[in-house]
């Protein structure tokens, strides 16, 4: 299979990345599809005018990614080196982890370029089909075959309802896939906030312990300052000279050093109080992320319920179509019998006229 495709497909861009797929059971966790970085390439099939993303790896040389690019696909950057996109045909989400941010940016730009090319190719194909349809309509038509309008009309309506329900089902599945992607992004954001919250809690506990220690030191410094001030006042009252002046200078210098240290400790306490305010703000962000995650879970539940209802309606429509097919077949058999009887009657009338 792969050699045949390589003959008619040409690679237009390649990059190396770690490949992941979303867990089909939880729709949340990533499952590694490759043990190490593999080559992920964009291929163009000139015969079918189709763009595909293909990655082959493993000991058995199996296809890790085999995805046709459609105009509705979107490549989303979830971090500086990680991006993902959903493949509705394969009912999965692919994730790619790159070594550098530049490689991720190059792949995202190429994905956008290929998606635009796929959109133009689809528009050209639709225009060609419309032109062929117009030529077919303009061609001479064969005489219509006699049929029963009632059952045929019912069959047409049943098929139209079937197509409508299938389109609705695909649309809801796409919405559910996008909702799962948003939920995973919110969950990653929540994990980041929880990690930051843990670090801030640890820093806050350490800061509180340091504050208590600094308060004790501050009290001791204040007592020492008061004692030194008393000594300076006592020396000034005595008005002595000589060694007393030297002691006074030393005490004044010690007092200035203690006041500088006291000011530095006050600034540190102010900084810790600001960090405490930031911690409360992070707690608010975490609560907001949890609330948004719960809303997304409720939305996904609603989408799953709508998909189940659509599947039920689709099954009912299929049953109605089968029933209509049976009625049409029975009507055709009755018509065949009536036609045969009319033919016999006509032959009998011809024989009677000839006599």
């Amino acid at each position: 299979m792969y050699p045949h495709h390589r003959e008619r497909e040409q690679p237009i861009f390649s990059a190396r990345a770690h490949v992941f797929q979303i867990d089909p059971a939880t729709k949340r966790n990533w499952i590694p599809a490759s043990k190490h970085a593999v080559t992920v390439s964009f291929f163009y099939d000139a015969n079918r005018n189709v763009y595909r993303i293909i990655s082959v790896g493993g000991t058995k040389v199996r296809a890790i990614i085999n995805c046709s690019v459609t105009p509705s696909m979107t490549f989303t950057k979830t971090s500086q080196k990680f991006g993902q996109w959903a493949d509705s045909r394969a009912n999965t989400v692919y994730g790619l982890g790159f070594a550098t941010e530049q490689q991720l940016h190059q792949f995202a730009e190429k994905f956008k370029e290929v998606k635009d090319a796929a959109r133009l190719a689809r528009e050209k194909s639709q225009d060609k089909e419309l032109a062929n349809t117009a030529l077919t309509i303009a061609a001479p038509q064969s005489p219509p075959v006699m049929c029963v309008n009632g059952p045929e009309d019912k069959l047409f309506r049943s098929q139209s309802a079937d197509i409508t329900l299938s389109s609705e089902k695909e649309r809801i599945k796409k919405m559910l896939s996008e909702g799962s992607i948003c939920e995973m992004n919110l969950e990653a954001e929540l994990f980041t906030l929880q990690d930051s919250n843990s670090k801030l809690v640890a820093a806050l506990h350490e800061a509180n312990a340091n504050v208590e220690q600094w308060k004790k030191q501050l009290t001791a410094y204040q007592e020492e300052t008061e004692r030194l001030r008393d000594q300076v006042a006592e020396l000034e009252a005595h008005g002595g000279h000589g060694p007393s002046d030297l002691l006074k200078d030393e005490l004044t210098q010690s007092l200035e050093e203690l006041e500088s240290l006291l000011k530095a400790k006050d600034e540190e306490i102010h900084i810790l109080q600001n960090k405490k305010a930031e911690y409360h703000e992070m707690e608010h962000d975490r609560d907001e992320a949890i609330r948004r995650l719960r809303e997304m879970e409720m939305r996904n539940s609603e989408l799953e319920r709508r998909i189940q209802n659509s599947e039920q309606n689709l099954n009912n429509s299929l049953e109605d179509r089968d029933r209509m097919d049976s009625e049409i077949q029975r009507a055709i058999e009755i018509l065949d019998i009536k036609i045969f009887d009319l033919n016999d009657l006509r032959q009998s009338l011809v024989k009677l006229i000839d006599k």
Side-chain angles (χ1 to χ4, degrees):
M1 174 179 178
Y2 294 108
H4 175 67
H5 283 297
R6 293 296 179 271
E7 291 175 1
R8 68 181 186 182
E9 289 184 331
Q10 297 296 328
I12 58 178
F13 179 80
S14 297
R16 292 190 65 82
H18 292 271
V19 181
F20 300 86
Q21 278 186 275
I22 200 68
D23 189 352
T26 62
K27 296 293 184 181
R28 295 181 181 179
N29 302 324
W30 289 107
I31 299 177
S34 60
K35 295 182 179 179
H36 50 79
V38 295
T39 301
V40 182
S41 303
F42 287 91
F43 281 85
Y44 174 63
D45 187 348
N47 294 333
R48 295 188 302 163
N49 201 14
V50 173
Y51 293 88
R52 294 199 302 161
I53 302 175
I54 297 176
S55 178
V56 179
T59 56
K60 297 183 179 179
V61 192
R62 61 182 182 86
I64 301 175
I65 301 177
N66 188 1
C67 171
S68 297
V69 180
T70 63
S72 60
M73 289 183 177
T74 301
F75 185 80
T76 305
K77 297 180 182 179
T78 57
S79 67
Q80 293 183 349
K81 300 179 182 180
F82 192 86
Q84 63 187 36
W85 80 94
D87 185 359
S88 58
R89 295 181 179 178
N91 193 24
T92 188
V93 179
Y94 293 105
L96 298 180
F98 295 90
T100 63
E101 185 177 357
Q102 182 181 4
Q103 292 178 357
L104 173 61
H105 178 71
Q106 291 176 351
F107 188 89
E109 291 296 325
K110 180 57 66 173
F111 193 100
K112 182 180 179 181
E113 178 183 339
V114 170
K115 184 180 73 170
D116 293 339
R119 177 179 56 80
L120 294 175
R122 174 174 292 185
E123 291 176 355
K124 291 181 181 179
S125 177
Q126 290 176 351
D127 293 340
K128 185 177 180 181
E129 290 178 359
L130 288 175
N132 293 335
T133 304
L135 292 174
T136 304
I137 294 175
Q141 302 292 323
S142 60
V145 179
M146 182 179 66
C147 64
V148 182
N149 291 333
E152 286 290 341
D153 186 54
K154 292 180 181 179
L155 177 60
F156 176 76
R157 289 199 301 267
S158 175
Q159 291 176 345
S160 299
D162 187 9
I163 294 173
T164 302
L165 288 172
S166 299
S167 301
E168 180 68 13
K169 181 179 177 181
E170 292 296 330
R171 186 178 67 84
I172 293 175
K173 282 186 176 180
K174 181 181 177 182
M175 292 172 61
L176 182 60
S177 176
E178 293 176 353
S180 299
I181 293 173
C182 294
E183 183 180 352
M184 286 185 293
N185 292 337
L186 285 175
E187 187 176 13
E189 182 180 352
L190 177 62
F191 288 156
T192 303
L193 288 173
Q194 287 178 344
D195 182 57
S196 300
N197 181 44
S198 300
K199 293 180 180 178
L200 283 174
V201 169
L204 184 60
H205 289 329
E206 182 180 357
N208 288 334
N210 291 334
V211 166
E212 294 297 330
Q213 182 179 0
W214 289 337
K215 284 182 179 179
K216 293 179 180 178
Q217 292 179 359
L218 181 60
T219 302
Y221 291 152
Q222 288 175 344
E223 293 176 355
E224 181 69 15
T225 300
E226 291 298 329
R227 186 180 64 81
L228 291 174
R229 282 179 178 174
D230 293 339
Q231 290 182 2
V232 171
E234 182 179 354
L235 290 172
E236 288 179 349
H238 286 84
H241 299 282
S244 297
D245 292 336
L246 181 60
L247 180 61
K248 178 181 178 180
D249 293 337
E250 291 178 356
L251 290 174
T252 303
Q253 184 179 359
S254 300
L255 181 61
E256 291 175 354
E257 291 177 356
L258 288 173
E259 287 178 348
S260 300
L261 184 60
L262 181 62
K263 184 178 180 180
K265 295 298 181 182
D266 287 337
E267 291 178 355
E268 290 180 358
I269 291 175
H270 181 68
I271 293 173
L272 289 174
Q273 289 176 347
N274 292 335
K275 287 185 177 180
K276 187 174 182 180
E278 293 177 359
Y279 165 72
H280 290 304
E281 184 178 353
M282 291 293 294
E283 279 190 337
H284 175 72
D285 293 341
R286 184 194 62 181
D287 295 338
E288 179 67 18
I290 292 173
R291 183 186 64 80
R292 291 170 58 191
L293 182 61
R294 289 176 180 173
E295 290 178 355
M296 191 61 64
E297 289 176 350
M298 293 176 62
R299 180 184 175 189
N300 284 346
S301 301
E302 177 65 20
L303 289 175
E304 289 176 355
R305 184 186 64 80
R306 291 175 61 186
I307 287 177
Q308 291 176 357
N309 293 337
S310 298
E311 290 178 347
Q312 182 64 33
N313 293 333
L314 180 61
N315 293 331
N316 294 336
S317 298
L318 292 175
E319 292 177 358
D320 293 340
R321 188 181 68 178
D322 293 338
R323 186 168 59 255
M324 289 298 173
D325 290 341
S326 300
E327 292 179 0
I328 292 171
Q329 187 65 30
R330 188 163 54 253
I332 291 173
E333 292 175 356
I334 294 173
L335 279 176
D336 289 340
I337 295 173
K338 295 296 183 182
I339 292 172
F340 181 76
D341 292 341
L342 288 173
N343 189 31
D344 287 345
L345 179 60
R346 185 179 64 83
Q347 291 178 0
S348 300
L349 289 174
V350 171
K351 290 178 181 179
L352 181 60
I353 292 172
D354 292 340
K355 289 181 181 181

